[in-house]
Amino acid sequence: MRHEQLEVWQRSKQLSVEVYQELMTLRDFGFKDQITRSALSIPSNIAEGFERFTEKEKFRYVSIAKGSCGEFATQALIGIEVGYIPEAIGQHWRQEAMSLSRMLGALLKSLTTCSRI
């Protein structure tokens, strides 16, 4: 299966696009760089994992993507609290990140079950 076929990759890619679009004019470049990088890391690491040769490598990159979900959700909350991200948008992003994290957890479990990593 190609990573582009995975719902978790499609949704995480869309989330990354939304983050870039919403924060395009944000002038706090440190915050903007950090949150866009964590959002971008989710679909990017899924893609990289699915391009690797071994299931162990795939597991590692999917696990990194899951970690990036937590990082992103934290940054979205901070962005709301400092006034960079509107509450409704930030909460939507946090909910999506947690949903993606659950999906990645299920994917990791299936990778472990299938290959006994």
Side-chain angles (χ1 to χ4, degrees):
M1 173 180 278
R2 298 278 310 151
H3 65 271
E4 296 97 337
Q5 297 171 294
L6 297 171
E7 180 183 355
V8 70
W9 180 83
Q10 294 168 4
R11 285 175 56 178
S12 62
K13 178 194 60 81
Q14 183 57 42
L15 177 62
S16 186
V17 169
E18 289 174 19
V19 171
Y20 271 88
Q21 290 174 337
E22 179 66 29
L23 299 178
M24 193 175 298
T25 60
L26 181 64
R27 296 185 59 83
D28 181 336
F29 299 110
F31 179 83
K32 180 178 173 178
D33 181 61
Q34 190 67 37
I35 194 169
T36 54
R37 287 168 49 110
S38 65
L40 185 61
S41 177
I42 303 167
S44 298
N45 276 294
I46 295 167
E48 186 164 357
F50 273 75
E51 291 296 323
R52 295 294 175 150
F53 289 109
T54 68
E55 292 301 306
K56 187 173 183 176
E57 288 179 302
K58 185 183 293 185
F59 184 93
R60 177 173 175 261
Y61 281 93
V62 171
S63 180
I64 293 168
K66 187 174 181 347
S68 293
C69 288
E71 181 183 2
F72 173 76
T74 297
Q75 292 162 355
L77 180 60
I78 293 167
I80 292 167
E81 291 184 15
V82 299
Y84 291 163
I85 302 169
E87 175 90 23
I89 292 171
Q91 290 302 336
H92 164 71
W93 288 354
R94 286 178 47 76
Q95 290 172 358
E96 183 66 1
M98 293 300 94
S99 179
L100 293 169
S101 181
R102 287 188 298 275
M103 293 171 77
L104 290 167
L107 179 56
L108 288 166
K109 186 175 180 179
S110 73
L111 290 172
T112 302
T113 303
C114 292
S115 62
R116 300 287 183 230
I117 294 175

